[in-house]
């Protein structure tokens, strides 16, 4: 098993995504995409970046982060693992 990204709440490997303790096997994922969301409160200026996937046949938001650099690292890791290990 190869690890593409790892921090305290997210781990992307050649077999799965582990996000906040929940494991998503690559074999259960369909399309993966990202989107941005507007701040939920008027006091917040930071846009949320979300990673979505078809998981077991249904759309599901896997992760929402406000740190642009961290989001990019995680999303690129997911793209790399899906390219290297097609389902």
């Amino acid at each position: 098993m190869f690890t593409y990204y790892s921090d305290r709440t997210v781990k992307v490997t050649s077999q799965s995504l582990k996000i906040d303790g929940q494991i998503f096997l690559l074999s259960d994922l369909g399309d993966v995409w990202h989107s941005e969301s507007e701040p939920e409160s008027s006091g917040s200026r930071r846009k949320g970046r979300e990673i979505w996937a078809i998981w077991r046949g249904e759309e599901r938001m896997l992760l929402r982060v406000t740190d642009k650099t961290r989001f990019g690292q995680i999303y690129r890791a997911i793209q790399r693992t899906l390219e290297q290990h097609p389902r």
Side-chain angles (χ1 to χ4, degrees):
M1 177 172 34
F2 184 82
T3 299
Y4 289 85
Y5 177 86
S6 183
D7 68 19
R8 61 184 173 79
T9 60
V10 176
K11 186 171 187 175
V12 180
T13 73
S14 56
Q15 297 177 347
S16 66
L17 311 177
K18 185 175 181 183
I19 301 171
D20 292 328
Q22 184 166 5
I23 296 174
F24 301 92
L25 297 177
L26 293 185
S27 59
D28 290 339
L29 292 178
D31 293 335
V32 177
W33 67 96
H34 63 88
S35 67
E36 286 191 7
S37 63
E38 294 299 319
E40 294 180 12
S41 66
S42 59
S44 176
R45 295 183 191 167
R46 301 175 85 184
K47 287 187 177 181
R49 290 163 178 83
E50 301 170 343
I51 298 174
W52 290 78
I54 301 295
W55 182 64
R56 297 183 177 170
E58 302 211 7
E59 282 188 15
R60 178 171 181 139
M61 185 175 63
L62 303 178
L63 180 67
R64 182 177 186 274
V65 295
T66 55
D67 183 298
K68 186 177 179 178
T69 301
R70 181 172 177 247
F71 169 82
Q73 292 170 340
I74 295 168
Y75 192 73
R76 283 190 302 276
I78 293 170
Q79 288 178 313
R80 284 194 306 274
T81 194
L82 294 174
E83 289 168 0
Q84 297 294 319
H85 307 279
R87 298 145 305 193

